[in-house]
Amino acid sequence: MAERTRILVDFAHIPASGAQSGVARAVAVERPIAIEFNGIGYAVMMATPADLADFASGFAFTERLITSADQIRAIDHLARDDGELLRVTLAAECAEAVAARARHRIAESSCGLCGIENLAQAIRPLPMIQAQPHAAPDAIFRALAALSAHQPLNRETGAVHAAARCAADGTVIAVREDVGRHNAFDKLIGAMLRDGAGWDGGFALLSSRCSYELVEKAALAGCPQLVTISAPTSLAIERARASGLKLTVLARADAMLELEA
């Protein structure tokens, strides 16, 4: 089945002048994406039905169910009238992790908390990031200026987030889009995992606020620097400091803020 990421919808255009007219506008498709791991129903997220193998891979990784791409044996995609079903087969050694983290209720996004039943599961220790960032501010400004050219779905709909892998010189290497900021980052991490790609001193650029879940995904993926266009939360700052993640926020065309250690 071809990915259907946008639909045309008719609207009434109502300007301040009152001269109403009809207009057709592209709208981003949002569908339930159910993920099963080794036959266990694990989560349902509302997401853009594109790059779903990347999504399943990145989600498995940031949920700490796998540590490498070779632990994914198969990803089967079943398109249904009521949503998309991803049946993921993981290596036998992952079974215990799946059972321990299996969801007990439907989640709304890949936020990493929905359905978790106790505080110990919610705020788990993060690995210390070993890689060092090498991007100068000019490189970040360069990536910011180039990002929109890599967001075709957002250009049409104005309704989706982007997660970009950027080289240390600011070159945008890869981008994934989704209606959910967490989903977009999972897709990017999954694509890197499947390609065997590393950060190589570069950084992640996200078109969203800096929530703690995004910081955790960056830390788990070994990303040395996370750049977001909007503001951080207090827990995002706390988790970034705990993992040694370099955090740059409110990154705009004319200025940015860098978290002091």
Side-chain angles (χ1 to χ4, degrees):
M1 172 185 169
E3 293 172 337
R4 190 183 186 200
T5 59
R6 60 187 64 73
I7 59 172
L8 281 178
V9 178
D10 291 328
F11 291 90
H13 179 247
I14 307 173
S17 65
Q20 183 171 318
S21 61
V23 62
R25 180 179 173 86
V27 174
V29 170
E30 183 176 26
R31 281 172 63 79
I33 312 293
I35 300 184
E36 293 180 359
F37 291 113
N38 292 356
I40 298 175
Y42 191 87
V44 178
M45 281 77 70
M46 303 306 296
T48 302
D51 304 304
L52 294 181
D54 291 340
F55 183 36
S57 301
F59 182 68
F61 183 82
T62 59
E63 281 288 288
R64 311 191 200 198
L65 304 180
I66 63 171
T67 57
S68 62
D70 60 10
Q71 290 177 311
I72 299 176
R73 300 290 191 251
I75 301 174
D76 296 314
H77 174 203
L78 177 62
R80 304 177 7 162
D81 291 340
D82 56 353
E84 315 290 323
L85 174 60
L86 300 176
R87 289 177 171 152
V88 186
T89 304
L90 302 180
E93 66 263 24
C94 304
E96 185 177 344
V98 172
R101 293 279 291 174
R103 309 293 187 164
H104 297 289
R105 65 183 177 86
I106 291 177
E108 293 179 347
S109 68
S110 60
C111 63
L113 265 189
C114 307
I116 297 304
E117 295 182 326
N118 60 64
L119 292 175
Q121 283 184 304
I123 308 297
R124 295 182 291 169
L126 292 172
M128 287 298 298
I129 295 171
Q130 302 302 315
Q132 295 298 313
H134 299 297
D138 283 351
I140 296 174
F141 286 126
R142 191 174 302 117
L144 284 165
L147 183 60
S148 62
H150 298 269
Q151 296 178 261
L153 183 56
N154 191 60
R155 281 201 306 276
E156 289 190 56
T157 67
V160 298
H161 285 291
R165 172 189 167 213
C166 303
D169 66 357
T171 301
V172 177
I173 300 172
V175 176
R176 292 294 182 270
E177 293 184 281
D178 198 278
V179 291
R181 62 188 187 277
H182 313 96
N183 302 336
F185 202 14
D186 273 337
K187 287 178 178 180
L188 179 67
I189 291 169
M192 293 178 64
L193 188 72
R194 298 173 72 211
D195 291 342
W199 293 99
D200 300 323
F203 58 95
L205 172 59
L206 308 183
S207 64
S208 67
R209 69 181 175 89
C210 184
S211 61
Y212 85 94
E213 308 99 311
L214 298 176
V215 166
E216 292 196 349
K217 291 178 189 296
L220 290 166
C223 178
Q225 182 173 8
L226 178 62
V227 181
T228 68
I229 67 169
S230 196
T233 66
S234 63
L235 188 54
I237 292 172
E238 179 182 326
R239 299 296 269 168
R241 284 177 168 156
S243 62
L245 173 67
K246 185 175 182 179
L247 200 59
T248 303
V249 299
L250 289 168
R252 308 295 171 84
D254 58 347
M256 65 184 77
L257 296 180
E258 186 174 295
L259 180 66
E260 294 185 345

